Amino acid sequence: MTPEDVKQNVSAWCSSVDGLEMLGERSEAGADVAIAVRSQVSKDAAVEALVLQEPGQDRVTIRHTASLSSGSEDGAQSVLDARPGSVSGTVDRGWSGTSVAVQTHVYH
């Protein structure tokens, strides 16, 4: 799929699924396409994610990254460790704080 095909598919997903909104293109190192989307998971909660396609790949990656409160790293890691194989993630402890990234792939 070309980058334009990926953009059209993401736009089609967002127009056909209630609560899914395309926020626009982003710049992401190593990606031909990076599109931010928001899913309204409940009346009061929304989750933002990136849809990425790396050069030459036959899949897109859907990734959500969030900051963690202090002391929750072990709990986040145990949740990631219990996820099915199609969902992966990392807990990153950095000088500016801790974040968790969860991702999965959609093949096209």
Side-chain angles (χ1 to χ4, degrees), residues 25-29 34 50:
E25 291 186 54
R26 302 291 190 260
S27 177
E28 185 77 16
L50 276 177

Side-chain angles (χ1 to χ4, degrees), residues 28-45:
E28 185 77 16
D32 280 345
V33 177
I35 301 170
V37 296
R38 178 184 302 129
S39 177
Q40 194 72 36
V41 294
S42 73
K43 179 182 161 191
D44 299 322

Side-chain angles (χ1 to χ4, degrees), residues 64-66 68 76-77 80 88-93 99-103:
H64 171 71
T65 304
L68 295 177
Q77 189 62 57
L80 290 174
S88 63
T90 58
V91 175
D92 295 314
R93 295 167 182 90
S99 66
V100 64
V102 179
Q103 69 181 27

Side-chain angles (χ1 to χ4, degrees), residues 13-93:
W13 293 344
C14 291
S15 65
S16 67
V17 177
D18 286 342
L20 187 61
E21 175 185 7
M22 187 168 156
L23 300 176
E25 291 186 54
R26 302 291 190 260
S27 177
E28 185 77 16
D32 280 345
V33 177
I35 301 170
V37 296
R38 178 184 302 129
S39 177
Q40 194 72 36
V41 294
S42 73
K43 179 182 161 191
D44 299 322
V47 174
E48 291 188 12
L50 276 177
V51 178
L52 306 157
Q53 183 181 36
E54 297 173 356
Q57 293 293 317
D58 63 346
R59 66 185 187 190
V60 293
T61 300
I62 301 173
R63 180 182 305 144
H64 171 71
T65 304
S67 297
L68 295 177
S69 60
S70 179
S72 59
E73 297 91 348
D74 292 337
Q77 189 62 57
S78 67
V79 169
L80 290 174
D81 292 344
R83 302 305 319 153
S86 61
V87 177
S88 63
T90 58
V91 175
D92 295 314
R93 295 167 182 90

